[in-house]
Amino acid sequence: MIDFVASWLAATLAYAVPYALAALGLIICERAGVLSLTAEGFMLVGALAGVGAVLALRAPPLAALAVGMAAAALVAVLFALLVVVLRLNQVVAGLAMVFFCQGLTSLVGTAFGWTSKAIGGLTRLPLGPLADLPLLGRALFNQDILVYLTLPIFAAIAWLLTRSMTGLRLRAVGESPEAADAAGVNVTAYRFVAVLAGSALIGLAGAYISVGSAKIWIQDMTSGRGWIAIALVIFARWRPWRALAGAILFGCIESLVPRVAAAGIQAPRYVMLMLPYVVTLGVMVWMAVARTGRPGDEPAALGQPHVREERR
Amino acid sequence: MWSKTRIAAGLVACGLVTGIGHAGAQGLTIKGEPKIALILFAAKNDGGWSQTFEEARATMEGALNTKIPLVENIPEDASSITPPVERFIQRGSNVIIGTAFGYSDTFKKLSEKYPQVAFLNGAGITNGANLESFYGRTYESQYLCGMAAGAVSKTGKLGFVAANPLGLVNWTINAYLLGARQMNPNATVTAVFTGAWNDPVKERAAAEALIDKGIDVIGQHVDTPTPQIVAQERGVYGTGHHRDMREFAPKATLCSSVWVWDKFLVPEVKKIAAGNWVPAPYGAFPGIKDGGTDIACCGPAVPKDAADKVMAARDAIIAGRHVYAGPLTDREGKTRVAAGAVLGDADLWKMDWFVPGVITQ
């Protein structure tokens, strides 16, 4: 039993990282008022670019993660142009970006022959004697570098969003762009940068899936994890730390399901496979019921294009 | 996408069993020399299913002395399939080879529209006067992989990463155990279903969970080489599917169940060329003897005498030995194949039981 729990916990954080980083990226976009449904697409871009960097440029894994971030940010320039500058409907543009990215990554992956090529990828970095602690040693201190970095990344972004002047302006842009504009904040610039920064984090999540976790590129390999990240943002009520907790919950489930099967425990298989989605729904319903009558946490201007001087 | 192909392939089952369509009384005679065109479901370098057809194409071009044009990445809907097929036919192609379950209905319609063209469809479920679906008897190749796995495993605990519990997946798992027990009578196979054909993250999670439970050889019936890669990382062994996975995990991969479509398609096209071709009414279902499926064996970790036994068993299968020969009971003790009998194709396609020694959820 102890072995089962130890091996389960040891695997959990690595599966939580992609959800956590993607959700954090989405929070940055959405706190600035840009509804981003692009996560699934930008994760694919990050995943392909990461593997491509390893295969074509012989990049070390950390550099490959950076390439994944940069590639997602690059594609996000297009999305930002569409929704921030041209003020297209954000839902439609976001969905279109997902399909565009699915096609683009299939095309590029096939053209360069990056599909199904095994790569070295990130390796575990045990933190000395800490990694030998019973139960929690393997879970917390025998992980790859990005698992360790996720916590500081969250701390930095949470601080930036809630404690810094930049974060205040960014949230103002998401809550009331008119007021922010009147106060002298450049709404377009803030939204543009928020989309790029958020998308870079989503790209990092994707690159981690291919370079850190699977260590291979397969067409459409993110398998809907981007959509789960979107749900995660809603049930985290746009708060970074809650998103991290939610991501760890998903990591727990994702690492638990195959372990229950490998242990030969009789549990209904389809119920197990459904678990992450049932939990998503359940938590969202619970949040909705628990918060009835209180003002929503959703950024007030989420999804609304800002046209300067326009009355609403 | 893949997944659709496969789930579908599972339903080949139904197609084959109920015999959608029927063979015409009179065989098909195409006009002139066979001119083949290949419609690939995914990219020709996808490292898996589609690539096996691309590899067969090269061999077929040599063996049949013809050029075989192809199109890649054709999704499973009529509006994507029909235009390239019709273009090939207009350019004179008279043998069209498809590669996906999802092509079944469209190929059926096209075969009726173009009665003078021969249609073949891998993993399809429709058949007709000039249309034949085909799939391989992968339980034969997976049985041999199971033998290699059983010979190398020190713990006798084998694992299997599979997609979904369909007949065509279940028969590979059961065969894997039956093969392993030839080499180690106490071997067990713990199967984990990922619920996806093409999700390397879930496959890695499954493989790691199995290795954490003390399993030291991992078989697979999913579309990516991830289980082999994990096996190599963790210093255990594995057996592959689709193609020779020593390409991805040279040290870990003991044996792979591979597709050898040229071995089935070359004679089939020759039959078509000879005229009066009658497609198999329930589709073609070739085993190692007739092409379709085979093994790439053995990796360096398999001892010489074990490898010899695997190859001897392969010879026996070619000579007519059936993997599912009775007596066979399922885990609940119910007799599934009586002594002296073998499992029929219809029962294979709807296999929803496991032999004792297979551990599943």
Side-chain angles (χ1 to χ4, degrees), chain B residues 10-60:
Chain B
L11 302 173
V12 168
C14 316
L16 289 173
V17 172
T18 55
I20 296 171
H22 63 285
Q26 208 178 340
L28 169 76
T29 302
I30 53 169
K31 289 183 186 138
E33 290 292 299
K35 285 187 72 182
I36 308 166
L38 181 62
I39 316 291
L40 287 183
F41 167 69
K44 65 180 179 187
N45 58 357
D46 72 345
W49 172 260
S50 289
Q51 190 163 338
T52 64
F53 283 93
E54 165 64 9
E55 284 158 357
R57 188 181 72 98
T59 324
M60 288 166 70

Side-chain angles (χ1 to χ4, degrees), chain B residues 60-336:
Chain B
M60 288 166 70
E61 284 192 334
L64 298 165
N65 192 25
T66 178
K67 275 284 179 208
I68 303 176
L70 83 158
V71 282
E72 310 170 69
N73 289 315
I74 303 299
E76 301 176 298
D77 55 81
S79 60
S80 305
I81 304 162
T82 309
V85 170
E86 295 199 318
R87 209 171 306 136
F88 279 130
I89 293 173
Q90 280 154 15
R91 289 178 190 168
S93 293
N94 50 20
V95 179
I96 305 288
I97 302 176
T99 55
F101 163 77
Y103 294 0
S104 299
D105 293 341
T106 310
F107 265 49
K108 180 74 184 164
K109 285 203 190 80
L110 286 165
S111 71
E112 284 160 2
K113 189 173 170 192
Y114 298 98
Q116 292 307 310
V117 176
F119 288 86
L120 292 157
N121 187 19
I125 59 164
T126 49
N127 298 284
N130 56 335
L131 166 64
E132 181 176 72
S133 290
F134 58 91
Y135 193 73
R137 295 180 188 268
T138 47
Y139 57 87
E140 295 182 349
S141 45
Q142 288 281 8
Y143 174 87
L144 300 173
C145 287
M147 286 181 71
V152 171
S153 173
K154 289 191 178 65
T155 60
K157 289 161 77 181
L158 313 182
F160 203 94
V161 180
N164 288 297
L166 308 165
L168 85 170
V169 174
N170 294 344
W171 79 43
T172 60
I173 297 171
N174 282 331
Y176 203 73
L177 179 105
L178 294 174
R181 290 222 162 154
Q182 292 292 314
M183 311 301 269
N184 176 355
N186 299 318
T188 59
V189 173
T190 305
V192 175
F193 294 100
T194 61
W197 286 99
N198 214 3
D199 186 336
V201 179
K202 284 205 173 89
E203 288 164 24
R204 171 169 289 268
E208 285 183 341
L210 286 167
I211 297 168
D212 285 346
K213 287 295 291 180
I215 271 148
D216 59 358
V217 184
I218 299 180
Q220 68 173 78
H221 190 175
V222 285
D223 285 346
T224 90
T226 309
Q228 305 308 306
I229 295 168
V230 176
Q232 176 139 332
E233 267 176 37
R234 298 280 297 261
V236 300
Y237 297 101
T239 64
H241 187 69
H242 281 320
R243 297 176 62 242
D244 187 350
M245 291 196 167
R246 275 176 283 189
E247 176 186 340
F248 306 103
K251 271 185 276 180
T253 305
L254 305 174
C255 175
S256 297
S257 164
V258 299
W259 300 111
V260 282
W261 293 121
D262 49 303
K263 209 174 145 197
F264 163 70
L265 287 170
V266 169
E268 200 67 14
V269 171
K270 282 184 177 160
K271 274 189 241 167
I272 294 170
N276 212 22
W277 176 61
V278 181
Y282 301 106
F285 192 21
I288 294 177
K289 179 168 167 282
D290 301 311
T293 182
D294 205 342
I295 52 167
C297 194
C298 295
V302 183
K304 175 80 172 65
D305 60 325
D308 289 345
K309 279 185 189 161
V310 171
M311 294 319 274
R314 180 177 174 275
D315 291 340
I317 286 172
I318 291 172
R321 187 179 171 278
H322 202 292
V323 168
Y324 287 106
L328 280 179
T329 58
D330 64 17
R331 289 188 295 205
E332 284 74 40
K334 186 176 161 197
T335 300
R336 292 292 184 164

